[in-house]
Amino acid sequence: MNTLTASATKALQERFNLIRQRTETICSPLEPEDTVVQPIVDVSPPKWHMAHTSWFFETLILAPNLPGYKVFHPQYAYLFNSYYNSLGSRVLRDQRSTITRPPLRSIVEYRAYVNEHINRLLQVLPEEKVEQLRPLLELGLQHEQQHQELLITDIKYILGTNPMLPVYKPLPDTQKQSIATAARFLEVPGGKYKIGYQGDGFCFDNELGVHEVLIEDFEVMNRLVTNGEYLEFMQDGGYGDFRHWLDEGFALVNQNKLEAPLYWVRQHDEWHRFTMSGLQKVDLNAPVCHLSFYEADAFANWSGKRLLTEFEWEAASQVYPPQGGNFVESELLEPAAAEPAEEGLQQMYGDLWEWTYSAYHPYPGFTKAPGPVGEYNGKFMINQMVLRGGSCATPESHIRTSYRNFFHPDKRWQYNGIRLASKK
Amino acid sequence: MNTLTASATKALQERFNLIRQRTETICSPLEPEDTVVQPIVDVSPPKWHMAHTSWFFETLILAPNLPGYKVFHPQYAYLFNSYYNSLGSRVLRDQRSTITRPPLRSIVEYRAYVNEHINRLLQVLPEEKVEQLRPLLELGLQHEQQHQELLITDIKYILGTNPMLPVYKPLPDTQKQSIATAARFLEVPGGKYKIGYQGDGFCFDNELGVHEVLIEDFEVMNRLVTNGEYLEFMQDGGYGDFRHWLDEGFALVNQNKLEAPLYWVRQHDEWHRFTMSGLQKVDLNAPVCHLSFYEADAFANWSGKRLLTEFEWEAASQVYPPQGGNFVESELLEPAAAEPAEEGLQQMYGDLWEWTYSAYHPYPGFTKAPGPVGEYNGKFMINQMVLRGGSCATPESHIRTSYRNFFHPDKRWQYNGIRLASKK
Amino acid sequence: MNTLTASATKALQERFNLIRQRTETICSPLEPEDTVVQPIVDVSPPKWHMAHTSWFFETLILAPNLPGYKVFHPQYAYLFNSYYNSLGSRVLRDQRSTITRPPLRSIVEYRAYVNEHINRLLQVLPEEKVEQLRPLLELGLQHEQQHQELLITDIKYILGTNPMLPVYKPLPDTQKQSIATAARFLEVPGGKYKIGYQGDGFCFDNELGVHEVLIEDFEVMNRLVTNGEYLEFMQDGGYGDFRHWLDEGFALVNQNKLEAPLYWVRQHDEWHRFTMSGLQKVDLNAPVCHLSFYEADAFANWSGKRLLTEFEWEAASQVYPPQGGNFVESELLEPAAAEPAEEGLQQMYGDLWEWTYSAYHPYPGFTKAPGPVGEYNGKFMINQMVLRGGSCATPESHIRTSYRNFFHPDKRWQYNGIRLASKK
Amino acid sequence: MNTLTASATKALQERFNLIRQRTETICSPLEPEDTVVQPIVDVSPPKWHMAHTSWFFETLILAPNLPGYKVFHPQYAYLFNSYYNSLGSRVLRDQRSTITRPPLRSIVEYRAYVNEHINRLLQVLPEEKVEQLRPLLELGLQHEQQHQELLITDIKYILGTNPMLPVYKPLPDTQKQSIATAARFLEVPGGKYKIGYQGDGFCFDNELGVHEVLIEDFEVMNRLVTNGEYLEFMQDGGYGDFRHWLDEGFALVNQNKLEAPLYWVRQHDEWHRFTMSGLQKVDLNAPVCHLSFYEADAFANWSGKRLLTEFEWEAASQVYPPQGGNFVESELLEPAAAEPAEEGLQQMYGDLWEWTYSAYHPYPGFTKAPGPVGEYNGKFMINQMVLRGGSCATPESHIRTSYRNFFHPDKRWQYNGIRLASKK
């Protein structure tokens, strides 16, 4: 093995261990009891996330590639397959809380076992085989990062529906008063834009099929919509006025008696919200969060603006390349108010995923890979909307301007927010 | 009144009477009992359609414009409003079968009353007022035509779920053997295409916002997919193989045990389908019909092709302008096999609405009109897919290449079919 | 045929024709459209009742006994079987509104055809065969009478959920002011009482198995509970106080936001109720009607009393034999205030079925007949409560003191009311 | 304090400590993760049972009676109230799995805290005050015993729906081959029987109101119906033949595709069942278990017999007083085959609760106590059937011949079985 590939393998190994370790860190404040429940079908038990990401490495990497590899437990394939039909039958998605055993400590062992064997694999495998496996290993790591974000949102939901509203992490000591930043609209010139992943690193199959899209001139808001701005909508009777809403959204509002974003609680005549540090007063300068697409769209209509399409978002990010952002590494786990800035777009990366008015559909020429990897993205390309830019629960190394996240328009438990375009 | 506008008003009046009369013709084979039931929420009672279209003229045209107009019945506004929040409360959509009274004969009177007053209005109104009203009157007529198509599909569903499978109209005498036409794929060159309605006649607000879209080279199938081709998919186990399906579609198939299009019945080991002329053997050369988007997409995947986007469909119709078609005027009320032809696209108009892989979203610059007319299209722009081209239940004068029909991807009771693009 | 049996047969024939004619009379105020809908699963379309009762005679009497009898239509057996598994498959109970065809006029013909053939059968059959058939014919007539009562309650529900609240019959001209009658409690001495049908006429199988039951001394209310008394319960917050309610009843109240009996509507600050003569002010002296068992029980608890058991009711009717009553023959179709009376029990017969606190279970020695007749009563002996005494929708000749009616405790659309026992 | 009452208090204290300790023993084989889930609404999380029984003592005994008592945690009253409306709002019954915190270890502390304070209370309280409190303390202990039984059935369900089918306790070493015992029917003479609790110890309010019931001569089966006998019913097509079933039961069978008792699994062509010691072959001589009332009744009909009423059961237990039984103290936690015996009734106590054909209704003169204790039994007296005799999960000291257990007729997760009466 020459030095170059040896160090490449070593880097891969380090990256593997670092990312895997992160999952343990996320789960460390939890009680075993927190790790097994599933309060709504969208939320998976944390223990399940921990095992499922390991099952991915075991099934797709270790079993076919490490000679003599013995699976940790023969039933885990059934327990921890998520939705891969090509990989056999599985516990139904809404039945994940039935898996009280294996207990958390067995899952911790499972993770260590898989880690150990992946490390061994990287040591024993000839360099060219490592290179062949690299895309799949990378997919496994990206997959783990996706589940790290889900772990955070699911933990928030589990704690937030517990009547005791437990604190996941204490408030940072350095908590300082946030500052209001004025909303401005920046021009993005119309024209042809190349959409899709154009680099040579990792990306998901749904970003491939680079193609040009014609975009008309438009203006984009410099930062995310704030709690203060959203409160004006609420106080103006926004939830009660059908004219702002898509029909299915208004039906949902009435059926569930919605009157504020998820996690908002009115207490002593003042709005609070459940955060990862427990119940806190709503910070009017921080971005409004945990909204459905319907709420984002209704707010946009009320304000005389509109949401961006995913193509406009990507174009804007080409004109004003995003830098930095409030990612999971900041350890805030909540969105933060934009810093006052003279120019440029803020919060394009991090803080909150931004709902776009684009359905999650295939790019031209999209094809599914054969086998289980082909089930990763393509089969979900209906009835979901694209979100862009990552959130305060996203690992920084996981985001790209071409990254397409997607959720059904009624989902509120992710870190979702609003950026506006001006209406023409 | 000068001769020109007089004759324009006269033409409008004739058109009004002709279109209104068509609704009566469609309902004439029905028993009163057929006109009141609602077997699924999607299907409205025929009597309701008859009254609702009249309510539209009464509420939006007569009441505000005909001096001294007295509404036919004060409660009808409540009974026959469909979904216009701006026009007051209404019978809930899934409760329309509660309206057993007024009986059919009262609705027939209601229609005559409204017709009579619209005719009077057109006689008494000064020409320039008629011109001002023309767009709204035209909208009322287009609205009536839309409900005529729904009347046909809803009547088909009502008769098709009746265990006696009643015949709506006898088979045409001239029924001749259909001929198989080979599938060919025709090139559509890539480039910029103007999308949206560019004429100066009537169109819906969702066709406005003409804009250019970049399209890559593609190939389009010369005709609709046939029953014979779809049967191959079925016989190849298509309904049982998850690889062809969107995840939500496959769940639907399993939950409802689907194994064939709507109205297909296996009898004496042979496939039949319920038609407007009762149960008939499936004609292998005729277009396959009454499919969900999921089935259309699964078939496309199985065949190694794909569906068109709505932009590709519109581009193809610019390269190969459609001519004629099997519309409601043919009185077949079922799709018919394509005639053998050397060149060009067939069945772009009529026969069946074609599912596209485009979500029903606003075009750039889309705005809703203020007031009730603004509720017509915009509030449904979520979770629905666009269909193009009209069907054998569509009035010929109602279709345009820019016409955007839309339904949720699971809906099967409309006259929906499949056209393929070749996959690149 | 000797004179005696000839006149017996003639009497049977007259009774048959009279009872069958009554069904037509009940349906005569209906529009064809009223006869086909099914607003809730409990309510069957009137047309279905008309056909089902005829199917009973055709299937169980004519087909096996009238030589050469040709069924009216081969599919009617499938369409109009209610729940007799032994008589083949059938339209599912909640799908009865799919039967828009045959239209009402065909059902009217069907009824005439069956009537004509039953009359012919009684003419041609030898006397001893008529005697053999008499029990089944009698069952058919009792069955028709049961459906006559259901017809009235189902028609009331169909009209009462129609937003136009149509009038079934005009208010009687002679409508006079009702008079308040004081509530008194009459003693029924404890001891052994014989329960079950002890005569030699017709009764249902569920009344057989005469047996003795020990009853303790108790006191029974002289009349039904009035609207005025029930209104006090409502005004005292009865619907909001859990202490009065069975747990499942209180859950139902909260889930459906109940605050008054079925058909009560608050208008201009005054309680009205929908009646067979349209919306009318609530008569405080008339018996309270259209209540669930839960409401009856909650009212009893609130008033410091209790409901009777079915055995106590039957014992009371032995001590104070009921005479006359407000039956369907009065053509009021609504319960009426009790006349002032010095002594005795009033309203034991007619006006309203009285909820008892007895589950509908088999009497000792109960057996089901073999074949379809065995499906009549026995298979429903779970989760239902017994009601006694008949109502203003019951034919007078149909009631007995041993008659056991039964409904689930949440049902409100029947003519149900409350009689109290004093609590010991 | 004189010696007598001192020793009475001491006995009470010992009994308290023993019973409370038993709950810990039952839960000791569990992982923390097992103690928090709620796979169906009927099943409560074990942690919840542990806390709820403690909350009962804290709320009803300690808080009002121990001067200066400080509740363990102010929110527990909200978390662990089951259904007592008089004691404030609470976590909804189907939301109990949201209580991941407090974790199991806090609940263990809570239990110790309550135990310690009850012991202190019994030490400091004057003897006459103890005597006053005794009924409520006794109710608390009986309540704890009821929840011990529920703990066992709920744990069985939690483990039995876990795909790994974990073992709660190993099979006893002494497992010996069971022996078949012939079914015999024993006479119970008809006459007046006194029903209800006639002793001077503890009983629930639903056993009060001693009253005489007339019973006719009948015969009762000497033991419970076995798996072998039930298998014959299954093999005879019992689940598919409507004639044996109550209508609602047959609907349930078809809807849920039932074909065997709960926990039965067909493996390698042989019936197994999940037991507290994992999956085991079905023992044909052991009593059939985990059946709904519907299944018990259908089996009885198939076999030409019937179920007993609760009065017949109590009469039989007076004629043949039960002795001993397979209670929770045997630590089998599964029903066992009856020992061969020449005479008498077997298995009247223990093994399995026996479904009776009696609705759970009030006895004559039943009254609810004022306050929370009044919510214990009375409000559930609808739609449930009485079971008698206790099971292998019941503490021996908890059962009486007058004890009335009750469940909805579709419930299968309790230790329920069948005893027959011969049909007359």
Side-chain angles (χ1 to χ4, degrees), chain B residues 95 98-99, chain C residues 39 156-165 263 274:
Chain B
Q95 295 296 312
T98 61
I99 314 174
Chain C
K156 184 166 184 181
Y157 197 90
I158 287 168
L159 301 181
T161 46
N162 183 318
M164 305 197 78
L165 297 180
Y263 298 130
F274 176 71

Side-chain angles (χ1 to χ4, degrees), chain D residues 12 44 129 140 171 182 189 212 244 250 256 284 327 364 369 408 420:
Chain D
L12 178 60
S44 291
K129 288 284 279 181
L171 271 187
E212 285 185 323
H244 312 317
F250 198 58
N256 299 324
L284 299 183
F327 291 109
H408 289 93
L420 300 173

Side-chain angles (χ1 to χ4, degrees), chain C residues 83-86 90 192 209-214 216 242-250 293-294 301 306 357-362 364-368 375 378-385 408-409 423-424, chain D residues 83-86 90 192 209-214 216 242-250 293-294 301 306 357-362 364-368 375 378-385 408-409 423-424:
Chain C
Y83 54 67
Y84 296 86
N85 290 298
S86 19
R90 61 196 175 278
K192 281 192 199 174
V210 175
H211 62 294
E212 287 186 320
V213 166
L214 270 179
E216 307 190 355
F242 70 88
R243 291 173 307 167
H244 312 316
W245 294 83
L246 286 161
D247 201 51
E248 297 186 10
F250 197 59
F293 172 84
Y294 297 117
N301 287 332
R306 61 172 179 83
Y357 211 136
S358 291
Y360 177 56
H361 284 342
F366 173 75
T367 45
K368 293 190 279 187
E375 294 189 60
K379 71 181 183 185
F380 302 114
M381 289 181 169
I382 192 73
N383 289 334
Q384 311 210 39
M385 302 301 277
H408 289 93
K423 201 154 198 164
K424 301 216 302 178
Chain D
Y83 54 70
Y84 296 86
N85 291 298
S86 20
R90 59 195 178 282
K192 282 192 195 173
V210 176
H211 61 294
E212 285 185 323
V213 166
L214 269 181
E216 306 191 355
F242 70 88
R243 291 173 306 166
H244 312 317
W245 294 82
L246 286 162
D247 201 52
E248 298 186 8
F250 198 58
F293 172 83
Y294 297 117
N301 286 334
R306 61 172 180 84
Y357 211 134
S358 292
Y360 177 56
H361 284 342
F366 172 76
T367 45
K368 294 191 279 187
E375 293 189 62
K379 73 181 181 185
F380 302 114
M381 289 179 172
I382 192 72
N383 289 335
Q384 310 211 39
M385 302 301 279
H408 289 93
K423 200 154 198 165
K424 300 215 303 178

Side-chain angles (χ1 to χ4, degrees), chain D residues 107-118:
Chain D
I107 300 307
V108 169
E109 283 171 31
Y110 178 38
R111 292 185 61 83
Y113 180 86
V114 166
N115 289 351
E116 185 196 320
H117 285 84
I118 289 281

Side-chain angles (χ1 to χ4, degrees), chain D residues 297-368:
Chain D
D297 176 65
F299 175 83
N301 286 334
W302 169 83
S303 65
K305 310 289 181 190
R306 61 172 180 84
L307 302 178
L308 286 71
T309 66
E310 66 166 322
F311 308 115
E312 288 173 333
W313 194 97
E314 199 164 330
S317 79
Q318 291 175 19
V319 178
Y320 306 93
Q323 284 157 25
N326 172 16
F327 291 109
V328 74
E329 287 79 4
S330 77
E331 295 190 359
L332 286 177
L333 301 186
E334 295 292 341
E339 294 290 323
E342 293 299 307
E343 54 185 25
L345 293 182
Q346 293 179 276
Q347 302 177 318
M348 286 289 278
Y349 271 173
D351 280 310
L352 298 176
W353 289 99
E354 305 177 17
W355 283 112
T356 72
Y357 211 134
S358 292
Y360 177 56
H361 284 342
Y363 283 173
F366 172 76
T367 45
K368 294 191 279 187

Side-chain angles (χ1 to χ4, degrees), chain D residues 81-330:
Chain D
N81 179 356
S82 54
Y83 54 70
Y84 296 86
N85 291 298
S86 20
L87 298 171
S89 66
R90 59 195 178 282
V91 172
L92 291 180
R93 189 177 172 199
D94 62 354
Q95 295 295 312
R96 288 177 183 163
S97 79
T98 62
I99 315 174
T100 62
R101 317 273 182 101
L104 178 57
R105 64 169 190 282
S106 302
I107 300 307
V108 169
E109 283 171 31
Y110 178 38
R111 292 185 61 83
Y113 180 86
V114 166
N115 289 351
E116 185 196 320
H117 285 84
I118 289 281
N119 277 284
R120 184 174 311 162
L121 178 77
L122 292 178
Q123 283 158 2
V124 302
L125 224 54
E127 56 185 279
E128 72 277 9
K129 288 284 279 181
V130 170
E131 283 317 298
Q132 277 170 25
L133 270 185
R134 184 185 287 274
L136 204 53
L137 256 164
E138 187 56 36
L139 182 62
L141 291 174
Q142 298 281 344
H143 175 253
E144 181 110 11
Q145 287 186 314
Q146 289 184 309
H147 279 276
Q148 285 167 2
E149 175 146 6
L150 289 172
L151 264 168
I152 291 167
T153 56
D154 291 0
I155 290 169
K156 185 167 183 179
Y157 196 89
I158 288 168
L159 301 181
T161 45
N162 184 318
M164 306 197 79
L165 296 180
V167 166
Y168 174 80
K169 56 178 272 299
L171 271 187
D173 290 343
T174 59
Q175 190 80 353
K176 56 173 193 271
Q177 190 68 30
S178 69
I179 301 171
T181 298
R184 283 175 296 115
F185 282 80
L186 279 66
E187 281 193 20
V188 178
K192 282 192 195 173
Y193 286 86
K194 261 207 175 121
I195 300 298
Y197 184 67
Q198 304 170 52
D200 50 9
F202 173 86
C203 78
F204 287 111
D205 55 358
N206 59 24
E207 301 165 58
L208 295 172
V210 176
H211 61 294
E212 285 185 323
V213 166
L214 269 181
I215 286 172
E216 306 191 355
D217 295 347
F218 72 103
E219 292 182 341
V220 56
M221 195 167 169
N222 61 323
R223 57 158 173 74
L224 294 169
V225 170
T226 64
N227 287 317
E229 287 160 348
Y230 197 81
L231 199 55
E232 281 181 57
F233 165 70
M234 287 163 56
Q235 287 165 346
D236 193 37
Y239 278 89
D241 189 341
F242 70 88
R243 291 173 306 166
H244 312 317
W245 294 82
L246 286 162
D247 201 52
E248 298 186 8
F250 198 58
L252 205 74
V253 160
N254 286 312
Q255 197 181 313
N256 299 324
K257 298 188 179 52
L258 303 184
E259 48 166 23
L262 182 62
Y263 296 131
W264 283 43
V265 178
R266 205 163 172 74
Q267 218 172 49
H268 312 306
D269 234 31
E270 216 169 352
W271 282 108
H272 292 65
R273 52 188 293 275
F274 175 71
T275 72
M276 290 299 254
S277 306
L279 205 62
Q280 303 291 340
K281 264 193 218 174
V282 164
D283 176 356
L284 299 183
N285 298 321
V288 61
C289 182
H290 296 302
L291 300 154
S292 67
F293 172 83
Y294 297 117
E295 288 165 303
D297 176 65
F299 175 83
N301 286 334
W302 169 83
S303 65
K305 310 289 181 190
R306 61 172 180 84
L307 302 178
L308 286 71
T309 66
E310 66 166 322
F311 308 115
E312 288 173 333
W313 194 97
E314 199 164 330
S317 79
Q318 291 175 19
V319 178
Y320 306 93
Q323 284 157 25
N326 172 16
F327 291 109
V328 74
E329 287 79 4
S330 77

